[in-house]
Amino acid sequence: VRAAKLLKGGLLLDKKCVYLPRHVGGIEICDLLHQGSNAFVHVKKWGQSAVLSHLFAQGLVSADLFLHSAEFRDEARKDRKST
């Protein structure tokens, strides 16, 4: 939330997940979407190396699905306020 306030043009998407039938659980698109550059921003509070590993995994999975799955992109565009 703090990063969203600092990033002008940032859309907070933290905990907004896309659910696909072939995946167990939700896939977080990103933590922040910078609307000016369309950059996906993933943010984690520093801790142990597992935090950094999770950060890279989250970025890889969401980027791969965004690039290669029309279903993921369609679901990501839906309004998540009702879920």
Side-chain angles (χ1 to χ4, degrees):
V1 174
R2 193 171 86 201
K5 291 178 183 176
L6 294 173
L7 182 65
K8 291 186 185 345
L11 178 63
L12 183 63
L13 294 177
D14 184 38
K15 297 182 178 68
K16 306 264 193 252
C17 293
V18 171
Y19 295 90
L20 298 175
R22 298 177 310 279
H23 288 80
V24 176
I27 300 130
E28 193 173 77
I29 304 162
C30 60
D31 295 305
L32 298 167
L33 174 63
H34 185 256
Q35 294 174 309
S37 64
N38 291 325
F40 287 55
V41 180
H42 299 273
V43 179
K44 297 290 176 256
K45 186 175 180 181
W46 179 251
Q48 298 180 343
S49 61
V51 174
L52 189 59
S53 176
H54 177 77
L55 176 70
F56 286 120
Q58 179 187 19
L60 178 66
V61 169
S62 65
D64 184 61
L65 285 168
F66 189 80
L67 287 172
H68 301 290
S69 172
E71 181 182 23
F72 181 80
R73 291 189 301 272
D74 290 343
E75 288 296 315
R77 285 185 191 104
K78 290 182 180 178
D79 183 11
R80 298 277 162 232
K81 290 179 185 173
S82 60
T83 60

